[in-house]
Amino acid sequence: MDFLNLLARLADLDTTALPAAAPRRAALGRLGQAGTALLPALLFAGALPQPAAAAPQDTRTRLDVLLLARQISVFENEFYSQALGLVAGVAAVPLSATEKTAVQTLQQQEALRVALFSKLITDGGATLPTAPRYDFTGSKNGTKAALYPDLQTSPDTFLRVAQLLEDAGGRALLGQAEYVRNDGYLFEAVVRAQSVEARHASHIRTMRRQRGATVKSWVSPADAAITTAGTVAAKVYEGESNTVQVYTTTATATVAAATVSVPFSSTLPINVGTPPLTPAGILEKVAEAFDEPFDAIVYTNLADLFTY
Amino acid sequence: MSDSVVPSFLGRTLRRRSFLRVAGATAASSALVLAGCGKDDNPNPTPGPNAVATLTLTGDDNGLLNFAYLLEQIEAAFYQKVVTAFPADFTAADKAAFIDLRDHEVIHREFFKSVLAANAYDAALPVPFEFNFTAYTLTTRAGVYAAARTLEDLGVAAYNGLLRRFSNLTYLRLLAKIGSVEARHAAFVRDQAEPNSFAGPEVIVASGSLAGLSVLKTPTEVAALIAPLLPVVLVADNLMLL
C-alpha cells in the first residue's frame, strides 16, 4: 500500500473519525494516571490488545513523522537565516568569515530538507502547517524575560543555541525512524536526514571548541553544560549519558523475549588505553559512543520556547 | 492497483521484497560461510591463520551485524595503529581526539562481537583479521586525517544503507545510535582535513529529489570499497536481498 495514498486518505478524514486507536490511547492515558502498579494486572487480564512495549508504533503516524522532520529543518533554516541577516528586521550575528561560510552551508542544507519533506507531505495530499512566528531570544516577542538576550550580538550565544537545536534535531530524528520502518523510502529519508543533523551538530561543536568552549564534537559527559538543570532546554541532554544498551534476540517486539544488556561495565575488553582508564572514565567513552533518541514532545517543547 | 499520486516506487519495492524474501529463504538459513582456501590439489587442507578465501555474509540479521562488525573492526584497527605511532605533526588536541575515536570504535567493535557471540564470522578463527592500510599515509597529520575521512564517510553511508534491512527492531535502534556517532566522527575528521568541509557535496546530496540528505551506500557498494583493506573476498550480495 502506498503511504502517500494513505496520507491522502488520512488527510480527508476528520480526526474524530479514528475510532480504532482512540479508545486504546485513552486507556493508556488513564493507566498512566492510575500509576504503573496497575499496569501488569490489567495486561494479564487482557484489557489491552497488545503489550505496552509495542505501543509507540501505534501512536505516531507517518504524517506525524514527516511533519516533525519538516519542522526540525524549518526551524533551523529560520534560525540560520536570521543569523545571516536574511530575515528583514533581524541583524546578522557578527561571525567571522569562516564561521559565516559554515552557517551558510548549514542554512542551505536545511532549506533543501524543508523542500524535500514539504514535497513528501503535499504529494500525499496533506497540507503544510502555517509558519509560526519566531523569537530565538526566547522572549516571546518581548512578553517575557529573554532566555538568550544577546543572541543576535554574541557569536558564542548564537552557537550555543545552534548546538542545542542541532543536537535536539538529531536526537528527535533518531527517535522517529522506527515509526516508519515499514516504508523503506520514508525510513531512509529520516535516517539520512538524521546523519546530516549529526554532522551539523558535530561541526557546531567544533566551532564552539575553536572559540574556547569545553565541548567535544560528540556528546560527552565531559562537555560543559549549556543548559540549566530543570529547564525545558535541559531535556535536550537528558539521558545522553546513558551507558546501558539493551537488545532482544528475537525479531519482533510483540514476542516477549529476554532483554540482554551489553556488558560494557563488566566483561567487555574495551578499556584498551595505556594506561587504562578508570571504570568511570571508560563508561564516559561508552556514553559518547552511542547517541540517544528522544521523544517528539521534547523537540516540540523546545521549539515552543522560540515561537509565539 | 494504480498509483495516482506518485510513481509506484513503494509498490515495486514491496513486491520485489516479498519475492526476494521467498527466494532467499533457503539460502539465508545456512550459517555464515567461511570458504576454504580453495587449493584443489589438497583434499584435506590445513587452514593456517586466516587461510580464508571468501567471506560470504548471510542474508539475515546476523549477516548485517557481521557486516557492521567488520566495519568497526577496520575502524578500530585503523585508529589503534595511529594511536600506537602518532604522526610527528599531531597536536595534543589531535591526539586526544584520536584516543576518543579509538575508544569509541573499540567499544562499537566489542559491542558487535558481544551481540554476535558464536555467530561472529571470526568466532572460530585462531587470530582476528589483519587489515591492509598500506594505501594510506599514516606518518603525517594530513595523511591520517584523509584516511580517517575516507573510513568515517564510508561508515556513515554504510549504516544508512544497512538499517532498513534489519528484522530485529532492537538491533536497528542500536545501529542507528552508532551511525549517528559515526556521522559526528565523520564531520570532525573532515573539518580537520579541510576546514568547513563537514557537509560537502561528496557526503550530502546537493541536487535532485534527495537533495539535503546524507549519502547512502548499499552493502555491495561498501564491500567493493573496503575490498582493498581485507585479507579475504567479502561477498555481501545476500544483504541486498533484505
Side-chain angles (χ1 to χ4, degrees):
Chain A
M1 175 112 185
D2 192 319
F3 96 90
L4 292 167
N5 283 330
L6 181 63
L7 279 183
R9 277 176 215 154
L10 281 177
D12 289 332
L13 288 174
D14 187 315
T15 45
T16 55
L18 291 170
R24 190 163 162 270
R25 227 182 268 180
L28 284 171
R30 282 200 302 277
L31 284 173
Q33 287 155 13
T36 49
L38 212 53
L39 191 59
L42 282 170
L43 282 175
F44 285 125
L48 293 169
Q50 287 174 27
Q57 281 172 325
D58 298 329
T59 54
R60 284 190 72 76
T61 65
R62 288 163 169 161
L63 183 56
D64 289 335
V65 172
L66 281 170
L67 288 171
L68 185 71
R70 179 181 177 275
Q71 184 189 10
I72 289 167
S73 287
V74 164
F75 217 72
E76 291 173 6
N77 181 36
E78 178 72 18
F79 177 70
Y80 294 128
S81 294
Q82 289 195 7
L84 291 167
L86 302 176
V87 176
V90 186
V93 178
L95 301 166
S96 74
T98 308
E99 288 167 340
K100 192 179 171 193
T101 303
V103 173
Q104 283 168 336
T105 301
L106 293 164
Q107 185 266 319
Q108 286 158 5
Q109 293 188 343
E110 297 302 338
L112 288 175
R113 283 197 302 161
V114 171
L116 190 150
F117 284 114
S118 296
K119 186 171 184 331
L120 284 174
I121 291 167
T122 54
D123 278 359
T127 49
L128 300 177
T130 51
R133 289 166 299 179
Y134 300 94
D135 177 357
F136 289 105
T137 66
S139 80
K140 303 247 176 202
N141 199 29
T143 59
K144 63 189 280 284
L147 299 170
Y148 305 99
D150 59 349
L151 180 79
Q152 298 296 331
T153 54
S154 162
D156 289 322
T157 302
F158 162 73
L159 290 172
R160 202 148 50 95
V161 179
Q163 181 190 314
L164 192 64
L165 292 178
E166 293 285 1
D167 281 339
R171 289 192 71 178
L173 288 174
L174 204 48
Q176 293 303 298
E178 66 185 72
Y179 295 106
V180 291
R181 64 187 293 238
N182 292 327
D183 180 334
Y185 184 82
L186 181 52
F187 176 84
E188 284 184 351
V190 172
V191 164
R192 296 169 72 171
Q194 200 280 332
S195 296
V196 182
E197 288 293 286
R199 279 184 192 267
H200 286 183
S202 171
H203 182 75
I204 293 282
R205 287 165 161 268
T206 300
M207 287 169 81
R208 292 189 64 235
R209 192 170 59 252
Q210 286 165 347
R211 298 181 68 93
T214 302
V215 62
K216 295 184 177 185
S217 299
W218 26 93
V219 187
S220 171
D223 293 341
I226 62 165
T227 58
T228 309
T231 61
V232 170
K235 294 271 185 198
V236 169
Y237 293 102
E238 211 172 85
E240 258 295 0
S241 297
N242 171 42
T243 59
V244 178
Q245 301 296 343
V246 298
Y247 62 94
T248 63
T249 50
T250 53
T252 56
T254 50
V255 177
T259 299
V260 183
S261 181
V262 182
F264 290 120
S265 59
S266 53
T267 55
L268 283 200
I270 53 177
N271 200 346
V272 297
T274 315
L277 296 169
T278 61
I282 192 64
L283 284 179
E284 199 168 274
K285 300 293 184 95
V286 172
E288 290 173 5
F290 292 83
D291 276 345
E292 298 296 328
F294 65 40
D295 291 339
I297 187 74
V298 181
Y299 191 88
T300 51
N301 285 345
L302 178 73
D304 186 55
L305 292 180
F306 302 113
T307 50
Y308 64 95
Chain B
M1 175 179 156
S2 77
D3 294 301
S4 56
V5 179
V6 289
S8 59
F9 175 91
L10 187 70
R12 262 188 294 130
T13 317
L14 286 183
R15 281 193 294 278
R16 187 168 157 270
R17 210 189 283 174
S18 39
F19 162 70
L20 290 171
R21 222 166 245 163
V22 175
T26 49
S29 60
S30 63
L32 189 73
V33 176
L34 285 172
C37 56
K39 274 267 182 187
D40 289 338
D41 54 347
N42 183 353
N44 220 343
T46 312
N50 303 340
V52 168
T54 304
L55 172 56
T56 304
L57 299 172
T58 52
D60 55 15
D61 280 1
N62 276 337
L64 295 165
L65 289 170
N66 268 296
F67 194 67
Y69 175 46
L70 192 56
L71 292 173
E72 297 295 346
Q73 283 184 311
I74 291 170
E75 290 189 329
F78 168 76
Y79 287 117
Q80 183 58 56
K81 203 171 166 68
V82 176
V83 168
T84 304
F86 283 123
D89 54 348
F90 245 38
T91 65
D94 291 327
K95 290 178 185 175
F98 266 65
I99 288 171
D100 268 3
L101 292 164
R102 188 272 318 269
D103 286 342
H104 297 168
E105 305 303 359
V106 167
I107 286 163
H108 294 162
R109 181 190 73 200
E110 294 303 318
F111 158 77
F112 283 112
K113 193 174 179 182
S114 164
V115 173
L116 281 162
N119 292 320
Y121 77 88
D122 58 358
L125 289 183
V127 291
F129 279 180
E130 280 197 28
F131 303 104
N132 179 3
F133 297 117
T134 52
Y136 303 134
T137 305
L138 301 186
T139 49
T140 65
R141 181 180 189 278
V144 163
Y145 273 110
R149 175 174 61 189
T150 302
L151 291 176
E152 293 287 357
D153 282 345
L154 186 58
V156 176
Y159 275 97
N160 282 336
L162 284 181
L163 289 178
R164 88 169 154 78
R165 301 169 195 274
F166 275 95
S167 298
N168 184 327
L169 175 63
T170 61
Y171 293 160
L172 184 161
R173 284 177 181 152
L174 289 169
L175 267 81
K177 292 178 179 198
I178 293 174
S180 179
V181 174
E182 299 294 351
R184 289 176 180 275
H185 288 174
F188 168 76
V189 296
R190 289 184 70 83
D191 277 337
Q192 303 307 308
E194 186 189 342
N196 271 350
S197 70
F198 61 101
E202 322 83 77
V203 290
I204 310 291
V205 180
S207 61
S209 63
L210 297 173
L213 298 181
S214 186
V215 162
L216 174 150
K217 290 195 192 302
T218 65
T220 50
E221 286 172 336
V222 175
L225 288 165
I226 62 173
L229 307 174
L230 301 178
V232 294
V233 175
L234 177 66
V235 180
D237 294 4
N238 292 331
L239 305 188
M240 299 299 286
L241 308 182
L242 298 172

